Amino acid sequence: MEGMFWADQKAGEVVNRKFHYIEGDVPEFKEYVVKTSASISGVLHIGRLSDSIRGDSVARALDDSGYNAKLIWVAEDMDPLRKIPEGVPESYSEYIGAPVTNIPDPDGCHASYAEHHTSAYMEVFEEFIRSKITKYSMSEEYKKGSFNPYIKAMLENLDSVIKIQNKYRENPLPAGWSPFTPICTNCGKVITARLKGFDGKIASYKCEDYSFETTTAKGCGHEGEMDPLKDPGKLMWKGEWAAQWDRWQVSAEGAGKEYVVPTSAWWVNAEIAEKIHGFPMPVPIFYEHIMIDGQKMSASLGNVVYPRDWLKVAPSNLLRFFYNKKIMKTRSFSFGELPKLYDDYDTHARMYAGETKTQNEKEMMHMKRLFEISQVRALEIPPPLPFSHACMVSQIFTDEESITKSLKRSGHYDENAKEQMVERLALARNWAKKYAPEESKINLDIDVEKTKEELDGLQKKFLKELADWLLESDRTSDEINEKIYTTSKDLDMPLKTTFAAIYMAIMGAERGPRASTFIASLDKKWVIERFLSLALPL
Ligand SMILES: [Zn+2]
Ligand SMILES: [Zn+2]
């Protein structure tokens, strides 16, 4: 398995799964379930897609090896609301601590807060996932009683459960601990109902304040009793995860790299799953979280990227490519550098299509597999139009005819990839408007008189000579490139001054896109007129 693409390696681990904490053989699975989930209490940004996309890749790898794979998505909608997200009224502070499934929709369009957030996310979610996905909701599962057998098993083996939990803790659990938390029957909150005692059958609780990192869930003071097999409540996360694995017969699941440490909830649950439920630990897919410009995504930093934002500037394949690349390396993403990601993706595509090769067989195999697994629908080789070029052209021209002409002039046009080119141009235009750094922004509207004053005699001479030469015949970008260098040499000009003359003349800046391609992309008549209007009289 060494040297394989990571998802294929994981698929191999899934089919050769073993018990880690008990003896015995793992039963045969007719179908391999890969689980992915999202907490609904937070913002559903593109970071949440990482878990699903990586899970999807493992499901696909299983499929490709001839096994039956199934991807499931679970909404963790029994989790309490921890803070008030942006756009939600302040008055919602009264719901802090309540399960998100029981909080009303602030916009009033859905049955609950949880449903409101899930539905907007789900609308675009499927554009990023290749597998057919089966969805579940934890609140529904609890209502249906799907978790009762696991609650029962944990209660019947309470001593063992406590023993396992204590192995992972510095201080042992207090007496009267129970593996679930009740929901206060008076105020409906899940986190405030603090357990006061548990005799193995009935738990007593008191509803008290609970402090999150920055907020407090107010308790109502109610004192009550509950039967975990009948009354509303939920399992603690250390125990619930194990129950989920058995409930859905999970074979693999993603988790952030913070779960790698040996004391994390992953391993507690793994041991509970095996020792209490007799279910083998799934294969973990540990990964690094995405950073935006080196920072964590957060509403307060204003750098949250929603799946919808992504689709305005790049196809879903590109995010899949990003997430599938090196899964355990810190992945900082910056929208300013999106063209680089496009280029990297295109390089992999050319390799896949057999248009380019490398000496290293293993690297080539990896690149092809990465490209293949990044595809969400039918495999599509991107058009021969670099994103940065699309970005330049889309800023200069708006109508399709001028764009087509320009692409033909610069040698980027491919009749067979017309639709894909149009699509890439539209994405590039959106990117240029919203995220392009200054040096990628193009504005041909310059102050001619002012620029004339700024150019020196040699620069004007250069522009005049280039204009005259362009007038003689149609020139390719390679020819233009050569002409720039020879003329610069003939006139004894430093190259920096030469290029500055070109960019100042076209867009009033010192730097810009590759000069020869840039000139070839523009309308020839326009270039000649612009150059002459600045160069004359000499
Ligand atoms: Zn709604
Ligand atoms: Zn209460």
Side-chain angles (χ1 to χ4, degrees):
M1 275 194 290
E2 192 58 30
M4 286 174 97
F5 184 70
W6 74 266
D8 297 313
Q9 213 167 311
K10 288 285 170 199
E13 287 172 29
V14 165
V15 294
N16 295 306
R17 198 149 134 234
K18 304 244 177 329
F19 279 111
H20 295 75
Y21 304 94
I22 58 173
E23 297 288 315
D25 294 326
V26 166
E28 220 174 280
F29 289 89
K30 283 205 185 73
E31 179 180 64
Y32 292 109
V33 175
V34 181
K35 174 179 169 260
T36 170
S37 66
S39 157
I40 313 298
S41 58
V43 186
L44 292 170
H45 49 60
I46 58 163
R48 306 257 179 229
L49 285 170
S50 74
D51 192 83
S52 306
I53 287 175
R54 283 152 176 153
D56 190 24
S57 298
V58 174
R60 154 132 205 203
L62 282 160
D63 263 344
D64 288 351
S65 320
Y67 297 100
N68 262 335
K70 182 179 169 188
L71 188 68
I72 65 165
W73 185 83
V74 179
E76 301 286 352
D77 52 3
M78 278 296 273
D79 290 355
L81 183 70
R82 290 160 188 271
K83 57 182 178 195
I84 312 210
E86 246 184 11
V88 174
E90 256 326 292
S91 62
Y92 266 59
S93 58
E94 67 169 297
Y95 296 116
I96 288 178
V100 286
T101 184
N102 293 341
I103 302 174
D105 179 355
D107 294 354
C109 40
H110 295 86
S112 72
Y113 177 93
E115 262 189 48
H116 180 81
H117 287 270
T118 318
S119 77
Y121 180 68
M122 279 297 156
E123 265 174 39
V124 286
F125 178 83
E126 281 171 10
E127 297 202 31
F128 291 87
I129 303 299
R130 180 190 150 275
S131 309
K132 200 171 165 288
I133 199 155
T134 314
K135 295 166 204 147
Y136 296 95
S137 131
M138 282 306 282
S139 66
E140 290 296 318
E141 292 295 316
Y142 276 112
K143 259 184 228 156
K144 282 195 302 193
S146 309
F147 282 85
N148 278 354
Y150 306 106
I151 298 174
K152 210 162 161 246
M154 288 180 82
L155 295 184
E156 280 165 4
N157 299 284
L158 197 56
D159 288 345
S160 311
V161 173
I162 290 172
K163 221 172 117 192
I164 295 169
Q165 298 267 4
N166 282 340
K167 264 178 69 181
Y168 297 85
R169 297 172 57 92
E170 254 177 55
N171 304 310
L173 290 166
W177 178 86
S178 100
F180 52 83
T181 54
I183 287 182
C184 172
T185 50
N186 184 49
C187 69
K189 290 187 182 176
V190 64
I191 198 91
T192 50
R194 197 156 308 169
L195 225 56
K196 292 296 168 187
F198 180 58
D199 63 6
K201 262 185 103 74
I202 299 293
S204 57
Y205 66 87
K206 188 175 181 200
C207 190
E208 294 169 346
D209 287 1
Y210 181 92
S211 299
F212 290 112
E213 257 171 63
T214 53
T215 58
T216 300
K218 285 265 164 226
C220 70
H222 176 74
E223 283 179 56
E225 285 194 333
M226 64 98 67
D227 178 341
L229 289 172
K230 290 198 190 98
D231 298 320
K234 77 186 280 296
L235 282 165
M236 304 272 212
W237 182 230
K238 289 179 182 173
E240 189 182 58
W241 209 354
Q244 289 182 337
W245 289 337
D246 193 6
R247 154 74 181 94
W248 287 296
Q249 299 286 292
V250 177
S251 288
E253 177 163 2
K257 66 134 199 226
E258 64 277 16
Y259 286 103
V260 175
V261 294
T263 50
S264 85
W266 177 277
W267 310 107
V268 184
N269 280 290
E271 201 166 336
I272 293 175
E274 296 195 355
K275 287 186 173 164
I276 308 298
H277 308 304
F279 185 78
M281 177 187 100
V283 171
I285 310 163
F286 292 126
Y287 53 77
E288 267 287 355
H289 295 279
I290 187 175
M291 308 277 271
I292 299 291
D293 298 315
Q295 286 179 305
K296 237 178 127 172
M297 233 188 284
S298 88
S300 53
L301 287 170
N303 64 356
V304 174
V305 182
Y306 295 96
R308 208 177 286 285
D309 300 330
W310 179 274
L311 293 174
K312 279 181 192 143
V313 294
S316 52
N317 288 356
L318 231 73
L319 187 66
R320 290 174 61 87
F321 176 77
F322 179 81
Y323 279 143
N324 273 298
K325 220 181 159 181
K326 290 171 181 137
I327 70 166
M328 271 307 265
K329 279 221 173 135
T330 303
R331 312 305 321 279
S332 183
F333 178 77
S334 165
F335 268 114
E337 289 182 355
L338 189 66
K340 271 194 201 152
L341 184 64
Y342 265 101
D343 288 349
D344 195 16
Y345 180 78
D346 288 359
T347 305
H348 283 70
R350 304 282 162 244
M351 188 76 71
Y352 184 89
E355 292 167 25
T356 53
K357 279 193 172 13
T358 77
Q359 288 303 315
N360 188 335
E361 280 288 330
K362 197 182 129 197
E363 190 193 352
M364 206 152 81
M365 185 275 286
H366 264 256
M367 286 175 78
K368 286 181 176 178
R369 185 66 171 144
L370 171 59
F371 177 73
E372 189 175 60
I373 226 148
S374 303
Q375 306 298 304
V376 72
R377 303 276 171 258
L379 195 132
E380 205 172 85
I381 302 292
L385 169 64
F387 187 72
S388 48
H389 190 83
C391 188
M392 175 183 88
V393 176
S394 71
Q395 288 181 82
I396 302 173
F397 306 104
T398 46
D399 64 298
E400 212 182 309
E401 203 195 323
S402 312
I403 290 176
T404 306
K405 273 190 191 162
S406 170
L407 293 177
K408 280 182 178 162
R409 281 195 299 268
S410 62
H412 289 96
Y413 191 76
D414 179 1
E415 183 66 38
N416 300 319
K418 216 171 151 185
E419 239 173 79
Q420 292 161 279
M421 294 177 101
V422 169
E423 196 185 314
R424 187 168 272 200
L425 283 157
L427 296 169
R429 185 173 292 129
N430 291 342
W431 179 80
K433 258 189 225 149
K434 202 165 169 198
Y435 303 107
E438 264 329 297
E439 64 265 24
S440 303
K441 287 207 170 125
I442 293 165
N443 180 10
L444 304 183
D445 248 346
I446 62 162
D447 183 337
V448 174
E449 286 313 311
K450 199 174 143 241
T451 310
K452 232 173 163 168
E453 279 167 31
E454 284 164 1
L455 292 166
D456 65 27
L458 263 183
Q459 288 178 311
K460 287 181 183 169
K461 220 168 169 180
F462 170 82
L463 292 175
K464 166 83 166 65
E465 198 159 331
L466 202 59
D468 289 346
W469 175 80
L470 284 168
L471 191 61
E472 282 167 24
S473 118
D474 285 337
R475 313 287 190 183
T476 66
S477 25
D478 283 346
E479 288 166 345
I480 296 172
N481 193 44
E482 213 192 312
K483 181 67 184 170
I484 293 172
Y485 281 90
T486 52
T487 314
S488 177
K489 211 175 159 210
D490 289 348
L491 293 174
D492 210 11
M493 285 169 79
L495 274 174
K496 207 180 158 214
T497 322
T498 312
F499 283 109
I502 296 171
Y503 297 125
M504 298 253 295
I506 300 175
M507 53 189 269
E510 300 261 330
R511 282 177 304 155
R514 197 180 139 83
S516 53
T517 327
F518 194 18
I519 294 172
S521 302
L522 294 160
D523 177 53
K524 194 172 95 172
K525 204 169 142 245
W526 182 92
V527 175
I528 294 168
E529 270 172 21
R530 170 64 64 88
F531 282 8
L532 291 180
S533 71
L534 289 165
L536 296 175
L538 273 172

